[in-house]
Amino acid sequence: MSALTPPTDMPTPTTDKITQAAMETIYLCKFRVSMDGEWLCLRELDDISLTPDPEPTHEDPNYLMANERMNLMNMAKLSIKGLIESALNLGRTLDSDYAPLQQFFVVMEHCLKHGLKAKKTFLGQNKSFWGPLELVEKLVPEAAEITASVKDLPGLKTPVGRGRAWLRLALMQKKLSEYMKALINKKELLSEFYEPNALMMEEEGAIIAGLLVGLNVIDANFCMKGEDLDSQVGVIDFSMYLKDGNSSKGSEGDGQITAILDQKNYVEELNRHLNATVNNLQAKVDALEKSNTKLTEELAVANNRIITLQEEMERVKEESSYILESNRKGPKPDRTSEGQALSEARKHLKEETQLRLDVEKELEIQISMRQEMELAMKMLEKDVCEKQDALVSLRQQLDDLRALKHELAFKLQSSDLGVKQKSELNSRLEEKTNQMAATIKQLEQSEKDLVKQAKTLNSAANKLIPKHH
């Protein structure tokens, strides 16, 4: 985390500003993302201390879950507010390609996934928010139509895709807030799917459900048949909520550069986490390949065993036919010994046949397991491709942030040069003002001297006039 530490020459905020900025705070990784109006502002957690009281350790699960709930609530607030404002300015029906609407669904998906209990499957643990959404039709009869429509869609194959389709249909119906409120009020039903400290089980879930009422003013229209909702990557695009450098004043350039650096550090941290996830998935793929190789070797051994058993069966059949033929041609000594030998041969043949059937059954099981492993590998490869696409997108955002940082640095340098020129001009003006003030004082003194001389001359003239008369 040393690479993520902000510069030490940052201005230290006052206690009042810190308290005001911490009213709404999102905690992501090791950063505090505070709400500055309707924008995000990142700072490292170790920079400040909001209260003198000791805080819980960051390793406390309840503390982390509370921070995550606050993060998601503030992100939902930003997303809903931005969606409503942009939709009202746009003044038309929104479709699935509208970027703020896509980000809203991504944020809602993260809110519904928070604190989900994992269900074990063949491919590992699976967390899906489709289960809680299915409960809505039991609480609100109007939602049965949406649930039935989602189940009838032919292109949806995963629970995640069905959950995403349900959210879109509920928004089109302008009933999303009502359905979420009905679901949150039944916490005894939600406890089957969520942990006790999940967002849907706490106060933040009720706040988000109340915020969703504002979306009833939006008209949305989606075509579900053309969308691939199963394989979409749900990554929140924070660049939509960053301040625009062109609208900033020159005096705020230093703070903007600091914010951009913090955003860049956060994106790099998120990129590191995604790289770790990709490495884990690659390790799983390698383990599956090893398992597949082992199953292939076992299948080859089973095939060799089947071939051996078939050869032995042929040999037993030949021996049986030879014994029968010899019994027909040769003398007939003891029928009892021949019958015993024949019965033993038949018993041996029956055992070999049963063994062959068992081997064939085991072979079918091995083949089915291999097919399942191949399917799992394909799904993991698809997931790896999606993660790589997300990494490419994040790197593009990082490049954009760097370009914005250079632009702000250039503007700050230009602003500093202008301030320096103005300071020099101001000093010259002050010098000229001082010179003019000195000149004015000299003129006033000369005027006083002239007045005195005039008075003296006047008095002398007055004295001379009477003498003349």
Side-chain angles (χ1 to χ4, degrees):
M1 295 299 294
S2 61
L4 302 178
T5 305
T8 56
D9 57 350
M10 289 175 55
T12 304
T14 62
T15 306
D16 295 335
K17 291 182 180 179
I18 293 173
T19 305
Q20 183 179 1
M23 292 298 294
E24 290 180 328
T25 301
I26 303 174
Y27 291 93
L28 295 172
C29 299
K30 197 182 174 185
F31 296 94
R32 178 180 65 81
V33 187
S34 56
M35 300 266 300
D36 180 12
E38 57 179 300
W39 303 101
L40 295 177
C41 181
L42 283 170
R43 290 192 185 279
E44 196 168 0
L45 284 177
D46 295 339
D47 289 348
I48 61 173
S49 175
L50 299 180
T51 59
D53 298 330
E55 296 182 356
T57 59
H58 288 214
E59 289 77 11
D60 185 5
N62 294 328
Y63 177 77
L64 295 176
M65 291 290 283
N67 288 336
E68 290 173 359
R69 292 198 304 270
M70 185 64 66
N71 295 348
L72 291 172
M73 184 187 72
N74 287 319
M75 284 306 305
K77 189 182 301 183
L78 277 174
S79 177
I80 293 171
K81 181 180 178 181
L83 178 59
I84 293 174
E85 290 179 354
S86 59
L88 293 179
N89 293 331
L90 197 62
R92 62 178 177 84
T93 302
L94 306 180
D95 53 18
S96 58
D97 295 332
Y98 191 51
L101 194 58
Q102 293 177 353
Q103 283 299 302
F104 164 73
F105 287 123
V106 171
V107 173
M108 284 301 300
E109 183 177 339
H110 281 275
C111 292
L112 290 171
K113 284 183 178 179
H114 183 261
L116 268 177
K117 293 181 180 178
K119 294 184 178 180
K120 293 183 178 180
T121 61
F122 176 75
L123 298 177
Q125 293 183 346
N126 183 23
K127 294 184 178 181
S128 173
F129 57 94
W130 169 240
L133 295 181
E134 279 188 300
L135 296 176
V136 179
E137 64 176 343
K138 299 179 181 179
L139 306 175
V140 183
E142 298 177 4
E145 181 181 355
I146 294 179
T147 305
S149 300
V150 170
K151 292 180 179 178
D152 292 339
L153 287 174
L156 300 178
K157 300 179 181 179
T158 62
V160 175
R162 287 190 284 271
R164 291 169 176 168
W166 190 95
L167 289 175
R168 285 158 173 76
L169 292 176
L171 183 64
M172 287 172 56
Q173 201 180 42
K174 297 185 178 182
K175 295 284 187 179
L176 184 57
S177 175
E178 180 182 347
Y179 295 157
M180 295 302 294
K181 286 181 180 178
L183 188 61
I184 288 173
N185 291 333
K186 295 292 183 181
K187 290 186 171 54
E188 62 275 7
L189 296 178
L190 289 178
S191 60
E192 180 183 353
F193 299 94
Y194 289 99
E195 300 291 343
N197 50 1
L199 183 139
M200 295 293 289
M201 303 290 289
E202 296 291 343
E203 182 182 358
E204 288 82 358
I207 294 175
I208 293 176
L211 293 173
L212 292 175
V213 177
L215 297 180
N216 293 339
V217 302
I218 295 176
D219 294 326
N221 187 18
F222 304 105
C223 181
M224 301 305 218
K225 295 183 180 179
E227 289 194 56
D228 185 11
L229 299 178
D230 292 327
S231 59
Q232 287 183 359
V233 180
V235 179
I236 299 177
D237 185 7
F238 287 95
S239 63
M240 297 180 62
Y241 311 109
L242 297 177
K243 288 185 178 180
D244 187 5
N246 296 328
S247 62
S248 305
K249 296 182 179 179
S251 61
E252 299 176 355
D254 190 17
Q256 290 176 350
I257 291 177
T258 303
I260 292 298
L261 286 174
D262 291 337
Q263 292 284 357
K264 178 179 76 68
N265 293 333
Y266 168 71
V267 172
E268 290 177 351
E269 179 70 11
L270 187 59
N271 190 8
R272 187 179 66 80
H273 283 293
L274 287 175
N275 282 328
T277 304
V278 170
N279 292 333
N280 292 334
L281 291 175
Q282 189 63 39
K284 290 182 180 179
V285 171
D286 295 339
L288 288 174
E289 288 179 352
K290 291 180 180 178
S291 178
N292 189 18
T293 304
K294 185 177 179 181
L295 289 175
T296 304
E297 294 175 354
E298 292 179 355
L299 180 61
V301 172
N303 289 331
N304 294 332
R305 188 176 179 184
I306 289 174
I307 293 172
T308 304
L309 291 174
Q310 288 177 349
E311 292 176 353
E312 190 172 352
M313 285 182 62
E314 293 294 333
R315 183 177 58 78
V316 170
K317 287 181 179 179
E318 290 177 358
E319 291 179 355
S320 300
S321 60
Y322 176 75
I323 292 172
L324 292 174
E325 188 67 25
S326 61
N327 288 335
R328 290 176 185 174
K329 294 181 179 180
K332 299 179 181 179
D334 189 1
R335 296 276 183 171
T336 305
S337 60
E338 292 178 358
Q340 290 179 354
L342 184 59
S343 62
E344 289 179 358
R346 288 177 179 176
K347 184 178 180 181
H348 185 65
L349 180 61
K350 186 176 181 181
E351 290 176 355
E352 295 294 339
T353 304
Q354 184 64 34
L355 184 60
R356 178 183 178 183
L357 293 175
D358 293 340
V359 172
E360 289 179 351
K361 186 176 180 181
E362 183 179 357
L363 179 61
E364 291 176 357
I365 294 173
Q366 295 288 343
I367 292 173
S368 63
M369 289 181 64
R370 180 180 179 183
Q371 292 175 351
E372 291 178 357
M373 297 297 288
E374 290 177 352
L375 179 61
M377 287 182 61
K378 290 180 180 179
M379 294 181 68
L380 286 174
E381 289 175 356
K382 185 177 180 182
D383 195 6
V384 169
C385 293
E386 292 174 356
K387 296 294 184 184
Q388 291 176 350
D389 294 339
L391 283 174
V392 171
S393 176
L394 287 173
R395 289 194 180 101
Q396 182 64 34
Q397 293 179 21
L398 181 60
D399 294 337
D400 295 339
L401 288 173
R402 287 174 177 169
L404 185 59
K405 169 196 164 186
H406 292 311
E407 183 180 354
L408 287 174
F410 178 74
K411 288 185 177 180
L412 179 60
Q413 186 178 2
S414 302
S415 176
D416 291 340
L417 182 60
V419 170
K420 186 177 180 180
Q421 293 176 354
K422 289 180 181 178
S423 299
E424 293 177 355
L425 181 61
N426 189 19
S427 62
R428 287 200 294 267
L429 289 174
E430 288 180 354
E431 185 178 354
K432 289 183 179 181
T433 303
N434 294 331
Q435 293 176 359
M436 292 178 68
T439 305
I440 290 171
K441 286 182 179 180
Q442 292 177 359
L443 291 174
E444 288 177 350
Q445 186 64 34
S446 300
E447 184 181 1
K448 290 179 181 180
D449 295 340
L450 290 174
V451 170
K452 288 181 180 180
Q453 292 177 5
K455 288 181 179 180
T456 305
L457 291 174
N458 192 12
S459 61
N462 290 333
K463 291 179 180 179
L464 290 174
I465 291 172
K467 291 181 180 181
H468 187 269
H469 287 291

